[in-house]
Amino acid sequence: KEGPSPDVISCNTALHACRHEGAELAANMLRRMQACGIDPDVVTFNTVIRSNGEHWEWVLALLANMDQRGLANEGSYRVALHAFIKENQLSPALNLLQQMHAKSLQLDAGSYNYLISALLRVGASEWAVHLVQRAIADKAFAKVRP
Protein backbone atom coordinates (compact mmCIF):
# COMPACT_ATOMS: atom_id res chain seq x y z
CA LYS A 1 0.00 0.00 0.00
CA GLU A 2 1.12 3.49 -0.71
CA GLY A 3 0.70 6.11 1.91
CA PRO A 4 1.07 9.84 1.83
CA SER A 5 4.32 11.26 0.52
CA PRO A 6 6.72 12.50 3.18
CA ASP A 7 6.92 16.23 3.67
CA VAL A 8 9.00 18.50 5.87
CA ILE A 9 6.59 18.06 8.80
CA SER A 10 6.71 14.26 8.76
CA CYS A 11 10.50 14.33 8.33
CA ASN A 12 10.87 16.76 11.24
CA THR A 13 8.71 14.48 13.37
CA ALA A 14 10.93 11.51 12.52
CA LEU A 15 14.08 13.55 13.20
CA HIS A 16 12.72 14.66 16.55
CA ALA A 17 11.85 11.10 17.51
CA CYS A 18 15.38 9.92 16.62
CA ARG A 19 17.30 12.91 17.98
CA HIS A 20 18.97 10.91 20.75
CA GLU A 21 20.13 8.16 18.40
CA GLY A 22 23.22 10.07 17.36
CA ALA A 23 24.69 12.57 15.02
CA GLU A 24 25.14 10.20 12.09
CA LEU A 25 21.46 9.28 11.93
CA ALA A 26 20.39 12.92 12.02
CA ALA A 27 22.88 13.87 9.32
CA ASN A 28 21.77 10.95 7.13
CA MET A 29 18.12 11.87 7.55
CA LEU A 30 18.89 15.45 6.50
CA ARG A 31 20.72 14.23 3.39
CA ARG A 32 17.89 11.84 2.51
CA MET A 33 15.32 14.61 2.89
CA GLN A 34 17.25 16.81 0.50
CA ALA A 35 17.79 13.92 -1.94
CA CYS A 36 14.01 13.40 -1.99
CA GLY A 37 13.47 17.06 -2.82
CA ILE A 38 12.19 18.01 0.64
CA ASP A 39 13.53 21.41 1.66
CA PRO A 40 14.59 21.49 5.32
CA ASP A 41 13.21 24.29 7.44
CA VAL A 42 14.48 25.93 10.62
CA VAL A 43 13.01 23.11 12.74
CA THR A 44 14.87 20.52 10.64
CA PHE A 45 18.20 22.29 10.93
CA ASN A 46 17.82 23.04 14.65
CA THR A 47 17.00 19.39 15.39
CA VAL A 48 20.03 18.21 13.42
CA ILE A 49 22.26 20.81 15.11
CA ARG A 50 21.03 19.76 18.55
CA SER A 51 22.28 16.22 17.98
CA ASN A 52 25.62 17.18 16.41
CA GLY A 53 27.43 19.32 18.99
CA GLU A 54 30.56 17.20 18.88
CA HIS A 55 30.87 17.90 15.15
CA TRP A 56 31.21 21.64 15.61
CA GLU A 57 32.75 22.36 12.18
CA TRP A 58 29.80 20.69 10.47
CA VAL A 59 27.36 22.56 12.72
CA LEU A 60 28.98 25.86 11.76
CA ALA A 61 28.61 24.89 8.10
CA LEU A 62 24.92 24.12 8.72
CA LEU A 63 24.47 27.54 10.33
CA ALA A 64 26.13 29.18 7.32
CA ASN A 65 23.78 27.21 5.04
CA MET A 66 20.84 28.37 7.14
CA ASP A 67 22.07 31.98 6.89
CA GLN A 68 22.23 31.67 3.10
CA ARG A 69 18.65 30.38 3.04
CA GLY A 70 17.47 33.10 5.43
CA LEU A 71 16.52 30.50 8.05
CA ALA A 72 19.03 31.12 10.85
CA ASN A 73 17.72 33.03 13.83
CA GLU A 74 18.69 33.63 17.45
CA GLY A 75 17.15 30.28 18.38
CA SER A 76 19.32 28.44 15.86
CA TYR A 77 22.47 29.99 17.28
CA ARG A 78 21.37 29.23 20.84
CA VAL A 79 20.69 25.60 19.89
CA ALA A 80 24.20 25.35 18.42
CA LEU A 81 25.72 27.04 21.46
CA HIS A 82 23.99 24.62 23.82
CA ALA A 83 25.02 21.64 21.65
CA PHE A 84 28.66 22.78 21.76
CA ILE A 85 28.61 23.26 25.52
CA LYS A 86 26.92 19.89 26.07
CA GLU A 87 29.79 18.26 24.18
CA ASN A 88 32.39 20.37 26.05
CA GLN A 89 33.33 22.21 22.84
CA LEU A 90 33.94 25.52 24.61
CA SER A 91 36.27 27.11 22.08
CA PRO A 92 33.73 26.78 19.24
CA ALA A 93 31.02 27.95 21.67
CA LEU A 94 32.95 31.14 22.44
CA ASN A 95 33.63 31.70 18.73
CA LEU A 96 29.93 31.26 18.04
CA LEU A 97 29.16 33.79 20.76
CA GLN A 98 31.40 36.28 18.93
CA GLN A 99 29.55 35.57 15.67
CA MET A 100 26.25 36.15 17.43
CA HIS A 101 27.39 39.52 18.71
CA ALA A 102 28.71 40.47 15.26
CA LYS A 103 25.24 39.71 13.88
CA SER A 104 23.53 41.59 16.75
CA LEU A 105 21.90 38.38 17.97
CA GLN A 106 21.18 38.33 21.69
CA LEU A 107 21.74 35.53 24.16
CA ASP A 108 19.16 34.89 26.82
CA ALA A 109 19.98 34.56 30.51
CA GLY A 110 19.75 30.76 30.39
CA SER A 111 22.33 30.54 27.60
CA TYR A 112 24.68 32.92 29.39
CA ASN A 113 24.31 30.90 32.59
CA TYR A 114 24.94 27.62 30.78
CA LEU A 115 28.10 28.96 29.14
CA ILE A 116 29.33 30.66 32.32
CA SER A 117 28.85 27.42 34.29
CA ALA A 118 30.75 25.44 31.66
CA LEU A 119 33.63 27.92 31.77
CA LEU A 120 33.78 27.74 35.56
CA ARG A 121 33.83 23.91 35.41
CA VAL A 122 37.03 24.02 33.35
CA GLY A 123 38.64 26.74 35.48
CA ALA A 124 38.24 29.57 32.96
CA SER A 125 37.09 32.05 35.60
CA GLU A 126 38.38 35.13 33.73
CA TRP A 127 36.22 34.25 30.73
CA ALA A 128 33.29 33.56 33.04
CA VAL A 129 33.63 36.98 34.68
CA HIS A 130 33.89 38.59 31.24
CA LEU A 131 30.66 36.87 30.19
CA VAL A 132 28.87 37.96 33.36
CA GLN A 133 29.87 41.53 32.54
CA ARG A 134 28.73 41.12 28.93
CA ALA A 135 25.40 39.63 30.07
CA ILE A 136 24.85 42.58 32.39
CA ALA A 137 25.71 45.02 29.58
CA ASP A 138 23.29 43.15 27.29
CA LYS A 139 20.66 43.33 30.05
CA ALA A 140 20.19 39.58 29.66
CA PHE A 141 19.58 39.07 33.38
CA ALA A 142 17.19 42.02 33.59
CA LYS A 143 14.75 40.08 31.40
CA VAL A 144 14.48 37.22 33.90
CA ARG A 145 11.26 37.30 35.88
CA PRO A 146 11.23 36.15 39.50
Side-chain angles (χ1 to χ4, degrees):
K1 268 187 163 182
E2 282 192 36
S5 297
D7 61 7
V8 71
I9 295 170
S10 60
C11 290
N12 287 346
T13 302
L15 264 172
H16 184 75
C18 299
R19 71 189 181 284
H20 297 296
E21 297 302 317
E24 190 173 324
L25 178 64
N28 285 336
M29 287 181 74
L30 176 62
R31 282 191 284 277
R32 289 185 72 192
M33 278 179 68
Q34 292 171 317
C36 292
I38 301 169
D39 286 329
D41 63 9
V42 69
V43 174
T44 309
F45 282 114
N46 286 354
T47 303
V48 172
I49 288 169
R50 188 173 282 115
S51 65
N52 277 279
E54 71 273 15
H55 304 290
W56 61 270
E57 291 168 326
W58 190 69
V59 167
L60 292 176
L62 278 179
L63 281 172
N65 187 318
M66 290 177 74
D67 273 335
Q68 289 173 347
R69 294 170 182 246
L71 295 174
N73 57 28
E74 287 179 356
S76 303
Y77 280 85
R78 283 195 297 263
V79 166
L81 186 72
H82 283 251
F84 291 163
I85 295 167
K86 179 181 167 200
E87 296 298 329
N88 207 30
Q89 299 288 339
L90 298 183
S91 181
L94 292 170
N95 288 333
L96 187 62
L97 180 64
Q98 294 301 324
Q99 286 182 32
M100 290 177 71
H101 276 277
K103 294 174 183 275
S104 298
L105 299 174
Q106 296 293 313
L107 268 186
D108 61 356
S111 296
Y112 269 117
N113 284 337
Y114 196 43
L115 185 51
I116 290 164
S117 293
L119 289 167
L120 290 172
R121 272 195 314 272
V122 298
S125 57
E126 286 183 35
W127 268 103
V129 169
H130 172 75
L131 283 183
V132 168
Q133 292 168 343
R134 180 179 269 179
I136 291 168
D138 287 348
K139 298 183 169 95
F141 298 135
K143 299 171 191 167
V144 176
R145 302 204 191 280

